[in-house]
Structures are given as structure tokens and as C-alpha cells.
Amino acid sequence: MSPVKASYPSNIALIKYWGKHGNQLPCNPSLSLTLSQARTEVTLYCEAKKQEGIALDYLFEGAPKPAFRDRIVDYISRQNEFADLLRNYELRIESSNTFPHSAGIASSASAFAAIAAALLKAAQPHLDETEFLRSASRLARLGSGSACRSFYGPYAQWGASALPHSSDDYAVPVTEIHENFRDMRDAILIVEDAPKKVSSSVGHGLMKGHPFANARFEQARHHCDQMREVLRNGDFDSFIAITEREALTLHALMMSSGDYYMLMKPGTVQIIDQVFAFRQDTGTPVCFTLDAGPNIHLLYPAHTENQVKDFIATLGGGMKSVIYDAAGTGGTVF
Ligand code: PMV
């Protein structure tokens, strides 16, 4: 079989997925902006098997990564769609990221999107595009929840809601987008590049029994519906308010869970303060969001790029580096 190549982007949630149940099902719908530059590129080689047993090699940027390889073996073994591949072929996955490994960007979204897409293409090469995207999104979700949103862009929703065809099993595109939100940029301000101390899966687990869990899931459902309306009507003020409230809520949930913890760093708070002041002083429609880490995603429309870059240049010691990214439309596999 000829090698399969997949290239899939990361995504940044505007409405956060935080809390899961059952087999990687979300406790609330989430909605994200798909990125274009921060991607995982995977080549999957499938050679006819010479002997019994599981044969899977995994190389990340040329080097074996045994712990992640074991996670992938476990993941592939649990999906019926991949049973024949695993039974009949020796598999080799070569993976690399287009962004620096030390950047502190969560890479499991792009990694599992690319891995699921490559495996599905090898296992079922003749699916039509709609069916492929839906199945690949569902399979990616089973590897890492947020990965399911990287198949559509610039906006995707995962989780059943009033949006037609939305589902807890896979993501769907959010298609009614006002021109104000069609060309968004994301400057990722790296505050800290060390691996985070508490993983997302531990964080999701802490939502079980969290005193604010039900109110949070209800708030996220409401925010998701509101955000789709905002994306449709072009209201930037509401976009900013909902996005920033979601980011701060995510971190407030971490800080108020039973085993409480904090991922924001002094530099994170300092930059957030500077974003508030910059927006107040200049009226530039820029806002921040955070994923489960200390780094800041600054979101702004393309036409404000020069002002925002000038602003970023004024940010001092709290920031180590910047990665400029932009909204994208999903990945490719062939
Ligand atoms: O997909 P996971 O399990 O890595 O969780 C992602 C959680 C957040 O990034 C904080 C929010 C989200 O919706 O992406």
C-alpha cells in the first residue's frame, strides 16, 4: 500500500470543552477557531505483515517516543475501523509538528486529527468526503476530544445543541459566518514553554463532583448558542466578552476544583491586563483566550494586524516568544 500523508491543524476553543463522561463524550458543547500554521504532519506506512502480533513503529521528528507509541497502539486496538489494518499490516507512523516542540502549544489536537485521518484513509480509502470527515472527526475524538474539531474551519462545534446535525460524537462546521469573523488571526504569546504540571485529562476528571459543574455546563451550552449567533451577526463586542469570559472561567474551574491548581503564570496575568488597557485605549477589537496552560492566544481580525503587532512589540519580560497563526479550513490527507 502506498504511504498515506496527512496534515492537520490545531484549533483553539472559544467555548471550552472541560469535563467529559463515558467514552470521551463532552459534558457541554464547545466551539473553536481552526488554525492554519500550527499543524501535525503524519506519514503512515503500511507493509504486509510477516509475522503474528501487533507491529507498530512510531517516530516523532525522527525519534521513537515509546509512551506515545503505546497510547497509539491502545487507541488503534480499540477502534473496529482499524482492526484489519492492525491484523494485516506492519504500521509505521512518522509524525512531526510545524511548530516548535517547546512552544507549549497543546499538540494532541493536531496529532490525533492527523493520525485518525491517515489511519482512516488507509483503512477505508473510498469514503466520500462528507462521510470521511464525519468518521475521521469521531475517531479523532476518541484519541483526544478537542482533535475532532480540527476537521472543519474556520469554525467548528463539537457537542449536541440547537445547531442542526451537531452531535456529541463528532464535530460539525459552523457555516454562517459574518465577514467580520472570516479572516481572524491568532498570535500565540508564549509565556512558559515547560510541560504543564496537570494534564488535561486530570483536569477533565476534576469536573466530576466539582461544586460548579452543572452551572458551568449550562453556561457553556448558553455561550455556544450565543457565539453562533454572534458569528452570524458580526457583533465584535459580544465575541470579545464571551471569549474572554470562557477563558477565565476555564481557569477559575481549575482553581476551584477539589484538587485545586493554577496554570496561569504572573506573565499571563500581566499580559491580560495589558490587553484590557490596549483595547480600552485604542478600541482595537482584540481579545485573548487561554487553553489549559499559561500561554495567551490573542485573537483579532486581519485588518488590525499592524496595530496588534505594534502592541505585541511593547509586551515586556512576561513573554518568551510569539507564533503568528491565522484561521484555517482544516487538513488534507492523500
Ligand atoms: O482535548 P483535550 O482532552 O486535550 O482537552 C482540551 C481542553 C481545552 O483545550 C482546555 C479546551 C478545548 O475545548 O480545547
Side-chain angles (χ1 to χ4, degrees), residues 11 13 15-18 20 30 108 144-147 149 200 204 250 291-292:
N11 66 77
I15 311 302
K16 309 293 183 183
Y17 150 57
W18 200 240
K20 60 181 169 181
S30 57
S108 67
S144 173
S146 55
R149 298 184 307 237
S200 287
H204 288 295
L250 170 70
D291 60 14

Side-chain angles (χ1 to χ4, degrees), residues 275-296:
V275 173
F276 288 154
F278 172 67
R279 194 166 65 224
Q280 173 113 48
D281 294 348
T282 64
T284 310
V286 55
C287 65
F288 69 86
T289 188
L290 305 162
D291 60 14
N295 300 322
I296 300 215

Side-chain angles (χ1 to χ4, degrees), residues 141-200:
R141 179 203 106 228
L142 293 162
S144 173
S146 55
C148 74
R149 298 184 307 237
S150 284
F151 290 84
Y152 305 97
Y155 299 92
Q157 179 181 312
W158 167 36
S161 79
L163 176 66
H165 310 296
S166 59
S167 164
D168 285 352
D169 283 333
Y170 45 77
V172 294
V174 178
T175 50
E176 284 189 75
I177 306 296
H178 190 277
E179 62 180 327
N180 286 356
F181 297 118
R182 285 202 198 130
D183 194 7
M184 292 296 284
R185 299 289 147 99
D186 178 7
I188 308 165
L189 312 181
I190 308 298
V191 170
E192 178 76 56
D193 48 17
K196 56 191 175 199
K197 292 203 186 73
V198 182
S199 70
S200 287

